[in-house]
Amino acid sequence: MDGSKEMGVGVGLRNVSSHCSISEMDDYDLSRLLDKPRLNIERQRSFDERSLSELSIGLARGGLDNFESTCSPGGRSGFETPASSARNSFEPHPMVADAWEALRRSLVYFRGQPVGTIAAVDHASEEVLNYDQVFVRDFVPSALAFLMNGEPDIVKNFLLKTLYLQGWEKRIDRFKLGEGAMPASFKVLHDPIRKTDTLIADFGESAIGRVAPVDSGFWWIILLRAYTKSTGDLTLAETSDCQKGMKLILTLCLSEGFDTFPTLLCADGCSMIDRRMGVYGYPIEIQALFFMALRCALAMLKPDTEGKEFIERIVKRLHALSYHMRSYFWLDFQQLNDIYRYKTEEYSHTAVNKFNVIPDSIPEWVFDFMPTRGGYFIGNVSPARMDFRWFALGNCVAIMSSLATPEQSMAIMDLLESRWEELVGEMPLKISYPAIESHEWRIVTGCDPKNTRWSYHNGGSWPVLLWLLTAACIKTGRPQIARRAIELAENRLLKDNWPEYYDGKTGRYIGKQARKYQTWSIAGYLVAKMMLEDPSHLGMISLEEDKQMKPALKRSSSWTC
């Protein structure tokens, strides 16, 4: 799991036992919020399909009134047996019932209400560490599973509790963090004597390396949109608290500085890969999540005076970010050949080698790894540096958010198929490829004993990534790839008691420090199964391509870049 799950939480933070200050939202008549009568979902053009040019201030006055939610079937509440199995025309896999039972065992309650799921329920482990906390990124697949099963209440509770925690003062030593920072995790302390529940949060001050989670705020915005799309409940996103929460997050990442690129500059260990792994700079995972969160926020911000300003800034940033990522992070056979032939020390606006990348710095493995048909977004691009490693989460999110063009999305799928043994092997899915080892491992990781070669974040295989892979496969019209991966997982996951990750070049061995009954391994499997069985669920976590997005640089490549 996360490297930050090794320390206690909430050191120096005040204990809060009072009720969340967020008021309960009134129930509005949804028909009053929409400009026109609801039509058949298949015949609608969703808010997300509109071009960004339409969302410039002139047309922004529609706001959330134009957010046409695609509601997942079911509409159930409470925590019961999975609704998805009842809706499907075929018998569910025997693992599904076991997975739901395990997922419900991980529920965390605050004053009688479910507010999240803990990271792992591994009673065999001698040390709990912080696997008994609710992590923002870890809860996302759990939230999607409950939404797809018609159980949105826990997701709403989670969104409100983390929003409440966002308002806390956040300090590390004598430095105060940005107001919009979301917690990495929180814990509920139950006092059986006083009969009180207390929330304690970690904003990075207890994590390995003391790094704030950049991805938490992005996942929160993405999950808010998923809740809105799934339930049709526009009122939650429209509340002043949620609007303020989104704006605080956006203020952090849209602030002006010395940046010459539209990408976000980050420290190592600020996302799922939360230990030192050489992903400092402009990691693909953060850039893809940033892009997706901007598009989700654009769909939910109200066009009041302050909202219009944010909408304008988001639209401009999205155009610049998509151009930058599609042009400079994209790698296929032709682009690799072009980089190999780069000239260096170019000084002018007409420079081809804009980042002054030295061709001799290209690692040998990438020449054999790159198929003639296929491509992917590389791990990092910054001055004189290109990290050619494959990172699964960033590439899958790029497909889901339409950061990748349709041609690039298909190329990523082609790469997965042609390099199946390397990227999937015996247990989906490699979080990164290839592993770094020997001298490079010592320099890049600082001799990290947890990130040894083909283990944990250094080329380990993570079952949670199944849901992201499945979403990408369905969106690109290639569900057979997801089915193949899920079948592989079903051979081992239940028998192995739902491990956190697997080790080895092909993912054959349970990870040396992997927790059992890892919640997001369980939830990731359930979400993948439910999306395959009912592809309409994809709508809550997928964004269609914006037809007006500026095209990327043209290259003599078989793929559009």
Side-chain angles (χ1 to χ4, degrees):
M1 193 56 205
D2 307 327
S4 61
K5 296 180 176 57
E6 310 243 351
M7 304 289 289
V9 297
V11 178
L13 288 177
R14 67 174 185 264
N15 289 346
V16 177
S17 59
S18 59
H19 277 291
C20 176
S21 62
I22 301 168
S23 59
E24 291 296 319
M25 278 68 69
D26 295 325
D27 293 325
Y28 295 110
D29 179 6
L30 292 183
S31 61
R32 182 170 59 84
L33 294 170
L34 298 175
D35 292 334
K36 53 184 179 291
R38 293 293 296 274
L39 302 177
N40 184 293
I41 289 173
E42 270 66 33
R43 298 180 60 85
Q44 293 188 77
R45 186 167 69 123
S46 71
F47 184 96
D48 305 309
E49 291 171 332
R50 302 173 192 175
S51 69
L52 293 181
S53 59
E54 294 178 26
L55 292 168
S56 56
I57 298 306
L59 285 181
R61 59 182 178 273
L64 282 186
D65 291 352
N66 291 327
F67 191 96
E68 296 172 356
S69 302
T70 303
C71 300
S72 294
R76 300 159 67 251
S77 61
F79 298 91
E80 306 153 18
T81 54
S84 56
S85 60
R87 291 194 296 267
N88 298 318
S89 57
F90 52 89
E91 203 62 32
H93 194 280
M95 276 176 61
V96 171
D98 185 276
W100 274 109
E101 183 180 341
L103 180 60
R104 298 190 194 285
R105 283 199 302 269
S106 71
L107 286 168
V108 172
Y109 291 83
F110 180 78
R111 294 180 179 164
Q113 296 295 318
V115 293
T117 51
I118 61 173
V121 189
D122 188 356
H123 298 299
S125 177
E126 295 179 0
E127 292 182 288
V128 175
L129 299 178
N130 55 1
Y131 282 76
D132 62 345
Q133 296 171 33
V134 180
F135 279 76
V136 172
R137 75 175 68 95
D138 295 37
F139 180 67
V140 171
S142 295
L144 295 176
F146 286 121
L147 287 175
M148 292 177 186
N149 201 48
E151 304 177 49
D153 289 348
I154 183 175
V155 182
K156 183 176 181 179
N157 294 340
F158 170 86
L159 289 167
L160 292 175
K161 283 295 175 283
T162 46
L163 184 63
Y164 168 58
L165 295 172
Q166 183 194 41
W168 283 16
E169 182 177 280
K170 303 168 274 279
R171 287 184 180 273
I172 296 181
D173 294 331
R174 298 182 180 182
F175 183 73
K176 183 178 178 181
L177 276 67
E179 190 179 0
M182 281 286 185
S185 64
F186 67 86
K187 184 175 183 176
V188 178
L189 295 181
H190 301 284
D191 187 334
I193 298 175
R194 296 182 179 180
K195 296 182 179 180
T196 58
D197 288 346
T198 304
L199 288 175
I200 294 181
D202 175 19
F203 292 89
E205 74 274 20
S206 299
I208 297 290
R210 303 299 188 266
V211 180
V214 176
D215 63 337
S216 285
F218 298 151
W219 280 123
W220 187 88
I221 291 175
I222 292 166
L223 188 55
L224 178 61
R225 176 196 176 263
Y227 171 87
T228 305
K229 294 285 286 185
S230 173
T231 64
D233 177 12
L234 309 179
T235 61
L236 180 61
E238 284 188 321
T239 61
S240 59
D241 292 308
C242 283
Q243 292 288 308
K244 180 183 178 182
M246 282 190 285
K247 290 171 185 174
L248 288 175
I249 295 168
L250 294 170
T251 298
L252 279 180
C253 55
L254 293 176
S255 59
E256 296 179 351
F258 292 99
D259 300 298
T260 54
F261 315 127
T263 41
L264 279 182
L265 181 63
C266 302
D268 228 336
C270 66
S271 58
M272 179 180 175
I273 297 178
D274 57 4
R275 298 168 73 94
R276 183 173 161 190
M277 270 290 293
V279 296
Y280 60 89
Y282 305 91
I284 178 60
E285 176 178 340
I286 291 297
Q287 313 314 320
L289 287 171
F290 179 34
F291 181 87
M292 188 166 188
L294 286 178
R295 292 199 64 191
C296 289
L298 191 64
M300 296 184 292
L301 282 172
K302 296 170 73 172
D304 51 26
T305 303
E306 188 180 15
K308 287 181 179 180
E309 180 185 343
F310 275 99
I311 289 169
E312 279 188 332
R313 293 168 66 187
I314 290 172
V315 170
K316 290 177 181 177
R317 190 62 166 262
L318 282 171
H319 280 298
L321 184 60
S322 63
Y323 179 87
H324 184 90
M325 297 298 296
R326 294 171 182 178
S327 301
Y328 305 123
F329 275 67
W330 180 253
L331 189 73
D332 56 18
F333 180 84
Q334 182 61 52
Q335 177 62 2
L336 177 60
N337 205 160
D338 291 346
I339 297 171
Y340 175 69
R341 291 166 51 83
Y342 269 169
K343 295 178 181 179
T344 60
E345 309 303 326
E346 295 178 294
Y347 182 81
S348 74
H349 292 291
T350 60
V352 175
N353 185 1
K354 294 182 183 294
F355 297 93
N356 197 37
V357 175
I358 311 300
D360 286 346
S361 69
I362 303 174
E364 288 294 327
W365 65 265
V366 77
F367 292 104
D368 295 327
F369 177 73
M370 179 60 70
T372 53
R373 174 175 176 152
Y376 63 104
F377 289 99
I378 63 175
N380 221 311
V381 177
S382 58
R385 178 187 177 224
M386 298 183 83
D387 183 349
F388 290 90
R389 284 178 294 175
W390 153 272
F391 291 92
L393 194 153
N395 276 275
C396 289
V397 171
I399 293 175
M400 289 160 48
S401 65
S402 291
L403 172 59
T405 66
E407 294 81 6
Q408 288 172 338
S409 296
M410 295 302 287
I412 293 170
M413 289 293 108
D414 288 338
L415 178 79
L416 273 165
E417 283 196 304
S418 61
R419 295 294 178 260
W420 186 266
E421 288 302 313
E422 292 90 340
L423 302 180
V424 181
E426 297 182 37
M427 175 58 65
L429 183 64
K430 286 291 178 196
I431 188 173
S432 63
Y433 181 90
I436 51 179
E437 50 190 313
S438 303
H439 180 66
E440 185 183 13
W441 167 78
R442 288 191 288 272
I443 297 299
V444 172
T445 73
C447 301
D448 187 350
K450 196 165 185 176
N451 271 328
T452 53
R453 64 176 184 174
W454 306 114
S455 180
Y456 203 54
H457 296 143
N458 188 13
S461 300
W462 291 70
V464 63
L465 297 173
L466 262 178
W467 80 265
L468 290 153
L469 173 64
T470 301
C473 290
I474 295 172
K475 186 170 182 183
T476 53
R478 294 161 85 164
Q480 71 279 3
I481 298 177
R483 289 194 187 96
R484 184 181 174 191
I486 290 172
E487 286 172 5
L488 276 176
E490 287 176 336
N491 291 332
R492 293 284 305 272
L493 279 181
L494 180 59
K495 182 175 65 176
D496 295 340
N497 295 323
W498 306 100
E500 178 182 7
Y501 63 94
Y502 286 77
D503 285 355
K505 206 165 187 177
T506 62
R508 175 176 295 179
Y509 303 98
I510 298 173
K512 58 185 175 183
Q513 295 187 41
R515 296 303 168 111
K516 300 292 184 70
Y517 294 100
Q518 187 76 21
T519 303
W520 70 355
S521 295
I522 297 163
Y525 167 73
L526 286 172
V527 172
K529 290 288 284 187
M530 285 191 282
M531 279 194 293
L532 266 187
E533 294 168 3
D534 185 356
S536 70
H537 288 315
L538 181 67
M540 72 175 75
I541 49 167
S542 175
L543 295 159
E544 294 306 312
E545 184 191 18
D546 174 25
K547 301 296 191 292
Q548 299 301 318
M549 199 78 77
K550 291 181 180 179
L553 292 173
K554 294 291 183 181
R555 298 195 188 101
S556 55
S557 169
S558 57
W559 299 103
T560 303
C561 298

